[in-house]
Amino acid sequence: DVKVTQSSRYLVKRTGEKVFLECVQDMDHENMFWYRQDPGLGLRLIYFSYDVKMKEKGDIPEGYSVSREKKERFSLILESASTNQTSMYLCASLNSPGRKSNQPQHFGDGTRLSIL
Amino acid sequence: GQQLNQSPQSMFIQEGEDVSMNCTSSSIFNTWLWYKQDPGEGPVLLIALYKAGELTSNGRLTAQFGITRKDSFLNISASIPSDVGIYFCAGQGPRRDDKIIFGKGTRLHILP
Protein backbone atom coordinates (compact mmCIF):
# COMPACT_ATOMS: atom_id res chain seq x y z
CA ASP A 1 0.00 0.00 0.00
CA VAL A 2 1.09 3.53 -0.71
CA LYS A 3 2.07 5.43 2.37
CA VAL A 4 2.01 9.21 2.39
CA THR A 5 3.22 10.60 5.69
CA GLN A 6 2.84 14.17 6.85
CA SER A 7 5.19 15.14 9.63
CA SER A 8 2.64 16.81 11.93
CA ARG A 9 -1.05 16.22 12.55
CA TYR A 10 -1.49 19.50 14.43
CA LEU A 11 0.63 22.64 14.35
CA VAL A 12 0.21 26.04 15.98
CA LYS A 13 2.34 28.96 14.81
CA ARG A 14 2.34 32.74 15.14
CA THR A 15 1.74 35.38 12.50
CA GLY A 16 4.92 36.21 10.61
CA GLU A 17 6.67 32.93 11.38
CA LYS A 18 8.19 30.80 8.63
CA VAL A 19 6.41 27.46 8.64
CA PHE A 20 7.51 24.18 7.07
CA LEU A 21 5.10 21.33 6.36
CA GLU A 22 6.79 18.09 5.36
CA CYS A 23 5.43 15.20 3.32
CA VAL A 24 7.10 11.89 2.50
CA GLN A 25 5.86 9.07 0.26
CA ASP A 26 7.33 5.60 -0.02
CA MET A 27 6.11 4.44 -3.44
CA ASP A 28 8.59 6.17 -5.74
CA HIS A 29 5.82 8.36 -7.18
CA GLU A 30 6.91 11.14 -9.52
CA ASN A 31 4.05 13.52 -8.73
CA MET A 32 3.34 15.14 -5.39
CA PHE A 33 0.73 17.72 -4.43
CA TRP A 34 -0.17 20.12 -1.66
CA TYR A 35 -3.82 21.05 -1.09
CA ARG A 36 -5.59 23.06 1.55
CA GLN A 37 -9.07 22.19 2.67
CA ASP A 38 -11.48 24.75 4.11
CA PRO A 39 -15.17 24.39 5.01
CA GLY A 40 -17.37 25.06 2.03
CA LEU A 41 -14.44 25.42 -0.36
CA GLY A 42 -13.41 21.79 -0.78
CA LEU A 43 -9.86 20.88 -1.75
CA ARG A 44 -7.81 23.59 -3.43
CA LEU A 45 -4.49 22.90 -5.09
CA ILE A 46 -1.60 25.06 -3.85
CA TYR A 47 1.42 23.61 -5.68
CA PHE A 48 2.42 20.37 -7.28
CA SER A 49 5.64 18.79 -8.43
CA TYR A 50 6.10 16.28 -11.23
CA ASP A 51 9.78 15.59 -10.65
CA VAL A 52 12.68 16.41 -8.35
CA LYS A 53 13.37 20.16 -8.32
CA MET A 54 10.34 20.75 -10.57
CA LYS A 55 7.29 22.62 -9.34
CA GLU A 56 4.12 24.10 -10.75
CA LYS A 57 1.70 26.59 -9.25
CA GLY A 58 -1.74 25.31 -8.49
CA ASP A 59 -4.87 27.38 -8.06
CA ILE A 60 -3.87 29.31 -4.91
CA PRO A 61 -0.05 29.57 -4.69
CA GLU A 62 0.11 33.05 -3.15
CA GLY A 63 1.87 33.12 0.21
CA TYR A 64 3.35 29.66 -0.27
CA SER A 65 6.45 28.10 -1.77
CA VAL A 66 7.55 24.48 -2.13
CA SER A 67 10.72 22.43 -2.22
CA ARG A 68 11.34 19.05 -3.84
CA GLU A 69 15.02 18.16 -3.35
CA LYS A 70 14.40 14.41 -3.20
CA LYS A 71 11.78 12.35 -4.99
CA GLU A 72 10.15 11.08 -1.83
CA ARG A 73 9.85 14.41 -0.04
CA PHE A 74 7.75 17.48 -0.87
CA SER A 75 7.81 20.44 1.50
CA LEU A 76 5.32 23.28 1.71
CA ILE A 77 6.66 26.56 3.08
CA LEU A 78 4.73 29.50 4.43
CA GLU A 79 7.26 32.30 4.14
CA SER A 80 5.48 34.60 6.59
CA ALA A 81 2.42 32.94 8.08
CA SER A 82 -0.84 34.87 8.23
CA THR A 83 -4.10 34.08 10.00
CA ASN A 84 -5.88 33.39 6.70
CA GLN A 85 -3.53 30.45 6.23
CA THR A 86 -5.13 28.62 9.13
CA SER A 87 -6.42 25.48 7.44
CA MET A 88 -6.15 21.74 6.96
CA TYR A 89 -3.24 20.95 4.64
CA LEU A 90 -3.22 17.71 2.68
CA CYS A 91 -0.32 16.16 0.79
CA ALA A 92 -0.87 13.61 -1.99
CA SER A 93 1.23 11.56 -4.36
CA LEU A 94 0.48 10.03 -7.73
CA ASN A 95 2.30 7.77 -10.13
CA SER A 96 3.30 9.23 -13.47
CA PRO A 97 0.69 9.08 -16.28
CA GLY A 98 3.51 8.05 -18.57
CA ARG A 99 4.24 4.95 -16.53
CA LYS A 100 0.67 3.91 -15.83
CA SER A 101 -2.08 6.26 -16.76
CA ASN A 102 -4.67 7.79 -14.50
CA GLN A 103 -3.54 6.30 -11.19
CA PRO A 104 -5.49 7.48 -8.20
CA GLN A 105 -3.95 9.96 -5.85
CA HIS A 106 -3.06 8.81 -2.37
CA PHE A 107 -3.40 11.27 0.49
CA GLY A 108 -1.66 11.79 3.80
CA ASP A 109 -3.68 12.22 6.99
CA GLY A 110 -3.40 15.98 6.87
CA THR A 111 -1.86 18.71 9.02
CA ARG A 112 -4.24 21.02 10.83
CA LEU A 113 -2.37 24.31 10.99
CA SER A 114 -3.47 27.19 13.19
CA ILE A 115 -1.88 30.61 12.83
CA LEU A 116 -2.40 32.85 15.85
CA GLY B 1 -11.51 25.94 -16.80
CA GLN B 2 -12.99 22.61 -15.86
CA GLN B 3 -15.56 22.66 -13.09
CA LEU B 4 -16.98 19.88 -10.99
CA ASN B 5 -20.36 20.10 -9.30
CA GLN B 6 -21.06 17.62 -6.50
CA SER B 7 -24.50 17.19 -4.98
CA PRO B 8 -26.06 17.15 -2.53
CA GLN B 9 -23.91 19.13 -0.12
CA SER B 10 -25.34 17.28 2.90
CA MET B 11 -27.51 14.24 3.39
CA PHE B 12 -29.39 13.04 6.45
CA ILE B 13 -30.55 9.44 6.35
CA GLN B 14 -31.64 6.64 8.65
CA GLU B 15 -29.39 3.68 9.29
CA GLY B 16 -30.16 0.93 6.79
CA GLU B 17 -31.22 3.28 4.00
CA ASP B 18 -29.58 3.38 0.59
CA VAL B 19 -27.76 6.56 -0.43
CA SER B 20 -27.01 8.09 -3.80
CA MET B 21 -24.82 11.08 -4.64
CA ASN B 22 -23.44 12.39 -7.91
CA CYS B 23 -20.97 14.63 -9.63
CA THR B 24 -21.18 16.43 -12.94
CA SER B 25 -18.45 18.19 -14.86
CA SER B 26 -18.34 20.93 -17.45
CA SER B 27 -16.09 18.86 -19.71
CA ILE B 28 -15.28 15.20 -20.32
CA PHE B 29 -13.11 13.21 -17.95
CA ASN B 30 -11.01 10.11 -18.46
CA THR B 31 -10.98 9.19 -14.81
CA TRP B 32 -13.49 9.47 -12.00
CA LEU B 33 -12.46 8.87 -8.40
CA TRP B 34 -14.52 8.63 -5.23
CA TYR B 35 -12.95 9.30 -1.81
CA LYS B 36 -14.22 9.24 1.76
CA GLN B 37 -12.81 11.46 4.46
CA ASP B 38 -13.34 10.81 8.16
CA PRO B 39 -12.98 13.69 10.64
CA GLY B 40 -9.34 14.64 11.18
CA GLU B 41 -8.10 12.23 8.51
CA GLY B 42 -7.02 12.52 4.90
CA PRO B 43 -9.27 11.32 2.07
CA VAL B 44 -9.16 7.59 1.38
CA LEU B 45 -9.81 6.22 -2.09
CA LEU B 46 -12.99 4.15 -2.35
CA ILE B 47 -13.43 3.48 -6.06
CA ALA B 48 -11.58 4.46 -9.26
CA LEU B 49 -13.29 4.44 -12.66
CA TYR B 50 -11.43 4.59 -15.96
CA LYS B 51 -13.97 3.84 -18.68
CA ALA B 52 -17.28 5.38 -19.75
CA GLY B 53 -20.16 3.17 -18.63
CA GLU B 54 -18.00 1.33 -16.10
CA LEU B 55 -19.81 0.13 -13.00
CA THR B 56 -17.58 -0.88 -10.08
CA SER B 57 -18.40 -2.14 -6.61
CA ASN B 58 -16.47 -2.10 -3.36
CA GLY B 59 -18.52 -3.91 -0.73
CA ARG B 60 -21.72 -1.96 -0.22
CA LEU B 61 -20.47 0.86 -2.44
CA THR B 62 -21.13 1.05 -6.16
CA ALA B 63 -19.93 3.78 -8.50
CA GLN B 64 -20.58 4.39 -12.17
CA PHE B 65 -18.72 6.34 -14.84
CA GLY B 66 -21.42 8.08 -16.87
CA ILE B 67 -21.78 7.34 -20.56
CA THR B 68 -21.38 11.02 -21.45
CA ARG B 69 -18.06 11.06 -19.49
CA LYS B 70 -19.35 14.15 -17.73
CA ASP B 71 -20.88 12.55 -14.67
CA SER B 72 -20.46 9.87 -12.06
CA PHE B 73 -22.63 8.37 -9.32
CA LEU B 74 -21.84 6.77 -5.99
CA ASN B 75 -24.38 4.55 -4.26
CA ILE B 76 -24.14 3.15 -0.74
CA SER B 77 -26.51 0.36 0.13
CA ALA B 78 -27.83 -0.46 3.61
CA SER B 79 -25.97 2.38 5.33
CA ILE B 80 -24.32 1.80 8.71
CA PRO B 81 -23.04 4.32 11.29
CA SER B 82 -19.43 4.12 10.10
CA ASP B 83 -20.51 5.42 6.67
CA VAL B 84 -20.70 8.88 8.23
CA GLY B 85 -18.16 11.26 6.70
CA ILE B 86 -17.52 13.44 3.69
CA TYR B 87 -17.52 11.86 0.25
CA PHE B 88 -15.53 13.55 -2.50
CA CYS B 89 -15.62 12.93 -6.21
CA ALA B 90 -12.61 13.81 -8.34
CA GLY B 91 -11.97 13.68 -12.03
CA GLN B 92 -9.17 14.11 -14.50
CA GLY B 93 -9.43 15.13 -18.15
CA PRO B 94 -7.91 13.33 -21.11
CA ARG B 95 -4.86 15.54 -21.63
CA ARG B 96 -1.55 14.62 -19.97
CA ASP B 97 -1.39 18.01 -18.25
CA ASP B 98 -4.98 17.94 -16.95
CA LYS B 99 -4.98 18.25 -13.17
CA ILE B 100 -7.19 16.20 -10.91
CA ILE B 101 -10.20 18.33 -9.91
CA PHE B 102 -12.20 17.73 -6.73
CA GLY B 103 -15.85 18.28 -5.94
CA LYS B 104 -16.69 20.13 -2.72
CA GLY B 105 -17.91 17.00 -1.03
CA THR B 106 -21.15 15.49 0.23
CA ARG B 107 -21.40 15.24 4.01
CA LEU B 108 -23.34 12.14 5.04
CA HIS B 109 -25.12 12.11 8.40
CA ILE B 110 -26.83 9.01 9.76
CA LEU B 111 -29.66 9.59 12.18
CA PRO B 112 -30.16 7.17 15.08
Side-chain angles (χ1 to χ4, degrees), chain A residues 9 35 37 40-43 45 48 57-59 88 90 94 96-98 101-110 112, chain B residues 9 30-31 33 35 37 39-45 48 50 86 88 90 92-93 96-97 99-105:
Chain A
R9 292 297 300 273
Y35 293 88
Q37 184 178 29
L41 297 176
L43 285 159
L45 182 64
F48 66 100
K57 290 180 181 179
D59 301 316
M88 172 76 143
L90 287 160
L94 174 72
S96 168
S101 62
N102 296 326
Q103 287 300 292
Q105 278 183 320
H106 297 268
F107 283 89
D109 283 337
R112 190 166 289 283
Chain B
Q9 211 169 20
N30 267 11
T31 302
L33 308 170
Y35 290 87
Q37 186 176 25
E41 307 284 332
V44 173
L45 182 70
Y50 300 114
I86 304 177
F88 289 97
Q92 189 174 23
R96 270 182 79 101
D97 59 352
K99 289 177 279 192
I100 291 180
I101 302 172
F102 284 84
K104 291 190 177 168

Side-chain angles (χ1 to χ4, degrees), chain B residues 14-69:
Chain B
Q14 301 277 356
E15 185 178 345
E17 280 187 47
D18 297 342
V19 174
S20 186
M21 56 191 83
N22 75 299
C23 277
T24 58
S25 70
S26 57
S27 55
I28 61 171
F29 283 166
N30 267 11
T31 302
W32 281 99
L33 308 170
W34 285 93
Y35 290 87
K36 181 185 179 223
Q37 186 176 25
D38 291 322
E41 307 284 332
V44 173
L45 182 70
L46 298 173
I47 293 177
L49 302 161
Y50 300 114
K51 204 167 146 186
E54 183 179 352
L55 185 73
T56 298
S57 292
N58 178 5
R60 293 176 295 106
L61 277 61
T62 303
Q64 184 158 28
F65 193 139
I67 290 291
T68 65
R69 295 170 67 191

Side-chain angles (χ1 to χ4, degrees), chain A:
Chain A
D1 275 357
V2 176
K3 184 79 174 163
V4 179
T5 304
Q6 292 183 230
S7 53
S8 306
R9 292 297 300 273
Y10 299 94
L11 207 53
V12 180
K13 296 289 181 182
R14 294 202 176 276
T15 304
E17 278 193 67
K18 190 168 185 175
V19 181
F20 293 85
L21 302 183
E22 305 287 347
C23 176
V24 176
Q25 50 95 3
D26 65 359
M27 283 301 291
D28 202 36
H29 284 174
E30 285 81 6
N31 304 284
M32 296 187 76
F33 306 78
W34 274 106
Y35 293 88
R36 64 177 281 178
Q37 184 178 29
D38 301 288
L41 297 176
L43 285 159
R44 292 183 292 168
L45 182 64
I46 305 171
Y47 265 98
F48 66 100
S49 167
Y50 51 87
D51 203 350
V52 175
K53 297 194 187 294
M54 307 301 283
K55 59 186 179 185
E56 292 271 348
K57 290 180 181 179
D59 301 316
I60 50 162
E62 297 79 19
Y64 302 95
S65 62
V66 289
S67 172
R68 185 109 181 260
E69 295 297 318
K70 292 185 179 179
K71 193 175 187 181
E72 66 270 19
R73 185 181 294 271
F74 192 34
S75 304
L76 180 69
I77 304 154
L78 285 67
E79 297 290 343
S80 177
S82 62
T83 54
N84 63 10
Q85 291 178 308
T86 291
S87 187
M88 172 76 143
Y89 288 86
L90 287 160
C91 173
S93 76
L94 174 72
N95 208 353
S96 168
R99 286 172 64 179
K100 197 170 181 184
S101 62
N102 296 326
Q103 287 300 292
Q105 278 183 320
H106 297 268
F107 283 89
D109 283 337
T111 296
R112 190 166 289 283
L113 175 65
S114 297
I115 307 295
L116 305 178

